[in-house]
Amino acid sequence: MPVITLMTDFGIKDGNVGVMKGVIWGITPDAQISDLSHKVQAQNIREAAYILGRSAPYFPQGTIHVVVVDPGVGTARRSMAARIGDGFYVGPDNGTLTVWLERTEAGNWPCEFVQLDQPKFWLPVVSHVFHGRDIFSPVAAHLARGVSLNELGSAFSDPVRLDIPKPVKTADGWRGEVVHIDHFGNLASNIRVEHLGEAFRQKEKIILRLNGTEVRGMVDTFGERPPGELVALLGSTGNLVLSVVNGSAASKLQAEVGNLVEAVLP
Amino acid sequence: MPVITLMTDFGIKDGNVGVMKGVIWGITPDAQISDLSHKVQAQNIREAAYILGRSAPYFPQGTIHVVVVDPGVGTARRSMAARIGDGFYVGPDNGTLTVWLERTEAGNWPCEFVQLDQPKFWLPVVSHVFHGRDIFSPVAAHLARGVSLNELGSAFSDPVRLDIPKPVKTADGWRGEVVHIDHFGNLASNIRVEHLGEAFRQKEKIILRLNGTEVRGMVDTFGERPPGELVALLGSTGNLVLSVVNGSAASKLQAEVGNLVEAVLP
Amino acid sequence: MPVITLMTDFGIKDGNVGVMKGVIWGITPDAQISDLSHKVQAQNIREAAYILGRSAPYFPQGTIHVVVVDPGVGTARRSMAARIGDGFYVGPDNGTLTVWLERTEAGNWPCEFVQLDQPKFWLPVVSHVFHGRDIFSPVAAHLARGVSLNELGSAFSDPVRLDIPKPVKTADGWRGEVVHIDHFGNLASNIRVEHLGEAFRQKEKIILRLNGTEVRGMVDTFGERPPGELVALLGSTGNLVLSVVNGSAASKLQAEVGNLVEAVLP
């Protein structure tokens, strides 16, 4: 049973996500379909890229990730499908796949890209404004039933890549930034476990700074400290995270995506 | 694998939608179930009718649409199931099916209606307040496993129909109204591509008016214009839509469902 | 096809719920997965317990309910799986199962509990902060494919139980409290149909009081009264509920979970 995930900025009110599932099941009736998120901020390709990059590795081999955060729908931007390691991406060629792609390439996994140019794998009528329904869902469904990438379109090698900010080495540690704020108000930075390196063995001596506030020492998990306390820890995918125990670090620190985060290592 | 969709005004917090799926899978374990929307405004049958009408055509043949926006639950209003073209409706007889039904009838597809009066296809205990769980979900599951409409209830011919507003011909075009505002704040009107007719070939000369604001010319898609600009275009199901590129036309124009929309044709 | 449900306080924005489904399908590809709720208030174990207790009975025999409202993740709190009657619970041992468990024990159904201590049924790498992904989802998937409770961990007999408030008999009826407020603003109390007993035959004479407001008589369903009227009725799982017809009793009465509810019986 092939797995397909859907991520969009459509919200869940208007029925459009359901319609994409209807189109998929019309072609591949046994597909398992999981929503990944439909609450991506409108037109926020960067947020979609971050969520995709950290989520895709947990899905079964062959999973097809359809992402439709697509302010350029109906313009000259390419429609694409890609093999990224042992999974697939289907969506606009607008950089959504960057985080996942860069990590996969770093592991020397194979990646390949095709521009979708075979309308026989699309709905018969294609609107100018909803390619998620008319092109990406049917293409994903055909991939799921065994159609190959090469049948779906023509190979190309230069997918659009976002300029994803990377942490910078400083005299005494790293300077990064907030890259995601989750439902709880936890602040994920782009400083990762691999940046902390050996220093992480002395994690109680690492100092974090954000918006003028300092946290001394990292913990393993929320429950080590009392509710309301600001803590630093590693998130579930290896990013350095600032959290308020049973509260919102985003509210407490008035933080936004892009705010600077400094780590001072022992 | 039969497909069942669920649309309600229940929200997604209380577990009631999950319970409906549990009831369905207890009867038809292999049903594919898609949420259509659970964010229909409370008791807003008209909104549900609009979403159902534009979504149903994209689902596979035989799909069963369960809609529970049901302020009259437990009163004398009928419970019903219907064949509407190549799909099915299950829910209260309160007009939810109107938009889908009218379009299907216009295409001369067969439609038939039964009043649900066979409790052997319901849960053993039926509450006064949650027929979505106790009647409609089990009936949909039985339909999905092959029970016929006629086994489920007694035929009738006069389902409740909403009075859906239709655009009116004016001296120089059409006067319609806003019928749906989506997650992005796009304003869908009931003026459709078939009303524009030949004039649509000169779409750059069509003038739209809403709440004292005028848009001159229609575009194909959002990306043709810069962010923040108000544009008019055809939505993905053929309705004339007013949008703000990467923004909210509803906010910009202080628009609500029911506001007048005028189209002046060249 | 085994059924697994997921309930969390994760929200639906960040992809974490989708990731849990990916992990499950990697182990048990044909699992039917239903979201129960991901809008449980953050860290509100009591709310999760209430939703689980009233929802679980409607799922097919053998359904596995994964609940991750887990402020103690990564601390010494036990991870557990349980058989509760003809269903299963997987999640932290923090009392989430209390309502369901107490009702099941009251019916003399078998219940058994194991502490999850067999890492071979978990993901290879277990984070300190996302056991929903790393332990509970894979354990649920293994249960779904036939692994027994005893293989998953060591039996124990004293799961954490919440102190669920019970209504108190008064001179002329019962005094309970609001235990859940749903999407519509309906106020569910812990006074149940079995407390009302014979008096319910004269339900038009029952008097309800909440926050200084009195409702005289109970109705069967919302549609018996005009919009805006405050009514008392039995909810779909037998709790005494205060509602405003087509409105919000929570707003009208400024009510919160924990507010006292009094029932005066004839």
Side-chain angles (χ1 to χ4, degrees):
Chain A
M1 287 174 152
V3 176
I4 296 174
T5 82
L6 305 179
M7 176 158 51
T8 72
D9 58 356
F10 296 171
I12 57 172
K13 179 175 80 73
D14 302 306
N16 294 322
V17 172
V19 160
M20 291 175 68
K21 296 179 187 174
V23 169
I24 290 168
W25 285 331
I27 296 165
T28 307
D30 67 342
Q32 294 276 34
I33 306 177
S34 170
D35 299 305
L36 200 48
S37 176
H38 302 293
K39 294 284 195 175
V40 174
Q41 188 186 37
Q43 293 95 34
N44 194 334
I45 296 168
R46 192 170 295 269
E47 184 175 43
Y50 177 75
I51 293 173
L52 179 63
R54 70 173 189 178
S55 301
Y58 290 94
F59 281 84
Q61 194 177 344
T63 294
I64 298 154
H65 300 282
V66 180
V67 188
V68 190
V69 179
D70 191 12
V73 59
T75 65
R77 71 104 183 85
R78 288 182 289 215
S79 295
M80 71 178 291
R83 178 192 311 279
I84 301 181
D86 65 359
F88 296 93
Y89 167 82
V90 177
D93 177 27
N94 63 9
T96 306
L97 48 50
T98 308
V99 177
W100 185 25
L101 177 60
E102 290 187 349
R103 289 192 197 167
T104 307
E105 288 173 331
N108 288 313
W109 289 75
C111 297
E112 49 179 324
F113 318 100
V114 302
Q115 176 170 5
L116 300 174
D117 54 17
Q118 297 298 316
K120 68 180 168 185
F121 297 112
W122 308 350
L123 290 196
V125 177
V126 173
S127 72
H128 292 287
V129 295
F130 193 2
H131 289 185
R133 177 193 67 196
D134 303 332
I135 297 179
F136 303 131
S137 289
V139 161
H142 286 294
L143 258 179
R145 70 175 186 84
V147 173
S148 72
L149 272 189
N150 288 338
E151 293 175 85
L152 294 169
S154 309
F156 70 104
S157 60
D158 59 342
V160 171
R161 291 171 190 249
L162 302 178
D163 184 20
I164 301 287
K166 291 183 177 49
V168 176
K169 191 86 188 74
T170 61
D172 52 5
W174 291 89
R175 186 172 57 240
E177 62 183 69
V178 175
V179 293
H180 187 71
I181 300 178
D182 76 9
H183 172 74
F184 295 101
N186 297 319
L187 306 168
S189 77
N190 57 352
I191 303 174
R192 289 180 50 80
V193 60
E194 54 265 30
H195 299 113
L196 302 181
E198 284 297 306
F200 188 63
R201 292 170 184 268
Q202 295 179 275
K203 65 174 182 292
E204 67 286 356
K205 295 185 180 169
I206 296 175
I207 298 171
L208 287 311
R209 295 200 189 100
L210 173 73
N211 287 0
T213 299
E214 193 169 279
V215 182
R216 303 183 79 87
M218 293 179 64
V219 297
D220 277 334
T221 189
F222 313 101
E224 296 177 30
R225 295 294 162 84
E229 188 166 324
L230 181 67
V231 297
L233 71 174
L234 285 185
S236 72
T237 53
N239 293 60
L240 193 155
V241 169
L242 288 163
S243 296
V244 166
V245 179
N246 293 7
S248 167
S251 298
K252 181 165 188 146
L253 302 184
Q254 296 289 309
E256 295 176 1
V257 169
N259 286 172
L260 287 186
V261 178
E262 279 184 287
V264 180
L265 305 185
Chain B
M1 286 174 156
V3 175
I4 296 174
T5 81
L6 305 179
M7 176 158 52
T8 72
D9 57 357
F10 296 170
I12 58 172
K13 180 174 79 72
D14 302 307
N16 294 322
V17 172
V19 161
M20 290 174 68
K21 296 178 186 174
V23 169
I24 290 169
W25 285 331
I27 295 165
T28 307
D30 67 342
Q32 294 277 33
I33 306 177
S34 169
D35 299 306
L36 199 49
S37 175
H38 302 293
K39 295 284 196 176
V40 173
Q41 189 185 37
Q43 293 95 33
N44 193 334
I45 296 167
R46 192 170 296 268
E47 183 175 43
Y50 177 75
I51 294 173
L52 179 64
R54 69 174 190 177
S55 301
Y58 290 94
F59 281 84
Q61 193 177 346
T63 293
I64 298 153
H65 300 281
V66 180
V67 188
V68 190
V69 179
D70 192 12
V73 60
T75 65
R77 71 102 184 86
R78 285 182 290 215
S79 294
M80 70 178 290
R83 179 193 312 277
I84 301 181
D86 65 0
F88 295 94
Y89 167 83
V90 177
D93 177 27
N94 63 9
T96 306
L97 47 51
T98 307
V99 177
W100 184 26
L101 177 60
E102 290 187 350
R103 289 193 196 165
T104 307
E105 289 173 331
N108 288 313
W109 289 74
C111 297
E112 48 179 325
F113 318 99
V114 301
Q115 176 170 6
L116 300 174
D117 54 17
Q118 297 297 317
K120 69 180 168 184
F121 297 112
W122 309 349
L123 291 195
V125 177
V126 174
S127 72
H128 292 287
V129 295
F130 193 1
H131 289 184
R133 178 193 67 196
D134 304 332
I135 297 178
F136 303 131
S137 289
V139 161
H142 285 294
L143 257 179
R145 70 175 186 85
V147 173
S148 71
L149 273 188
N150 287 338
E151 293 174 86
L152 295 168
S154 308
F156 71 103
S157 59
D158 59 343
V160 171
R161 292 170 189 248
L162 303 178
D163 184 19
I164 301 287
K166 290 184 177 50
V168 177
K169 193 87 189 72
T170 60
D172 53 6
W174 291 89
R175 186 171 58 239
E177 61 184 73
V178 175
V179 293
H180 187 70
I181 300 178
D182 75 11
H183 172 73
F184 295 101
N186 298 318
L187 306 169
S189 76
N190 58 352
I191 302 174
R192 288 180 50 81
V193 59
E194 55 265 28
H195 299 114
L196 302 181
E198 284 297 306
F200 189 63
R201 291 170 184 267
Q202 295 179 276
K203 65 174 180 291
E204 67 286 355
K205 295 185 179 167
I206 296 175
I207 298 170
L208 285 312
R209 296 197 189 102
L210 174 71
N211 286 0
T213 298
E214 192 170 280
V215 182
R216 301 182 80 87
M218 292 179 64
V219 297
D220 277 335
T221 188
F222 312 101
E224 296 177 30
R225 294 295 162 83
E229 189 166 324
L230 181 67
V231 297
L233 71 176
L234 285 185
S236 72
T237 52
N239 293 62
L240 193 156
V241 170
L242 288 162
S243 296
V244 166
V245 178
N246 292 8
S248 168
S251 298
K252 183 166 186 144
L253 302 184
Q254 297 288 309
E256 296 176 0
V257 168
N259 286 171
L260 286 187
V261 177
E262 278 184 288
V264 179
L265 304 185
Chain C
M1 288 176 151
V3 175
I4 296 174
T5 81
L6 305 179
M7 176 158 52
T8 72
D9 57 356
F10 296 171
I12 58 172
K13 179 174 79 72
D14 301 306
N16 294 322
V17 172
V19 161
M20 291 174 68
K21 296 178 186 174
V23 169
I24 290 168
W25 285 330
I27 296 164
T28 307
D30 67 341
Q32 294 276 34
I33 307 177
S34 170
D35 299 306
L36 199 49
S37 176
H38 302 293
K39 294 285 195 176
V40 174
Q41 188 186 38
Q43 293 95 35
N44 194 334
I45 297 168
R46 192 170 295 268
E47 183 175 43
Y50 177 75
I51 293 173
L52 179 64
R54 70 173 188 178
S55 301
Y58 290 94
F59 281 83
Q61 193 177 347
T63 293
I64 298 153
H65 300 281
V66 179
V67 188
V68 190
V69 179
D70 190 14
V73 60
T75 65
R77 70 102 185 85
R78 287 182 291 214
S79 295
M80 72 178 290
R83 178 193 311 281
I84 301 181
D86 65 0
F88 295 93
Y89 168 83
V90 177
D93 177 27
N94 64 9
T96 306
L97 48 50
T98 306
V99 177
W100 185 26
L101 177 59
E102 290 187 349
R103 289 194 197 164
T104 307
E105 288 172 332
N108 288 313
W109 289 75
C111 298
E112 48 179 326
F113 318 100
V114 302
Q115 176 171 6
L116 300 174
D117 53 19
Q118 297 298 316
K120 69 181 169 184
F121 297 112
W122 309 349
L123 291 195
V125 177
V126 173
S127 72
H128 293 287
V129 294
F130 193 2
H131 289 185
R133 177 193 68 195
D134 304 332
I135 297 179
F136 303 131
S137 289
V139 161
H142 286 295
L143 258 179
R145 69 176 186 84
V147 172
S148 72
L149 271 189
N150 287 337
E151 293 175 86
L152 295 169
S154 308
F156 71 103
S157 59
D158 59 341
V160 171
R161 293 172 188 248
L162 302 178
D163 184 20
I164 302 286
K166 291 184 178 50
V168 176
K169 191 86 188 72
T170 60
D172 52 6
W174 292 88
R175 185 171 58 238
E177 61 183 71
V178 174
V179 293
H180 187 72
I181 300 178
D182 75 11
H183 172 73
F184 296 100
N186 298 318
L187 307 169
S189 77
N190 57 353
I191 302 173
R192 289 180 50 80
V193 58
E194 54 265 30
H195 299 114
L196 302 182
E198 284 297 306
F200 188 63
R201 293 171 183 268
Q202 294 178 275
K203 64 176 181 292
E204 68 286 354
K205 295 186 180 168
I206 296 175
I207 299 171
L208 285 312
R209 297 198 189 103
L210 173 71
N211 287 0
T213 298
E214 192 170 279
V215 182
R216 301 183 81 88
M218 292 178 65
V219 297
D220 277 335
T221 189
F222 312 102
E224 295 177 31
R225 295 294 162 84
E229 189 166 325
L230 180 67
V231 297
L233 70 176
L234 285 185
S236 72
T237 53
N239 293 60
L240 192 157
V241 170
L242 288 163
S243 297
V244 166
V245 178
N246 292 9
S248 167
S251 298
K252 182 165 187 147
L253 302 184
Q254 296 289 309
E256 296 176 1
V257 168
N259 286 170
L260 286 187
V261 177
E262 278 184 287
V264 180
L265 304 185

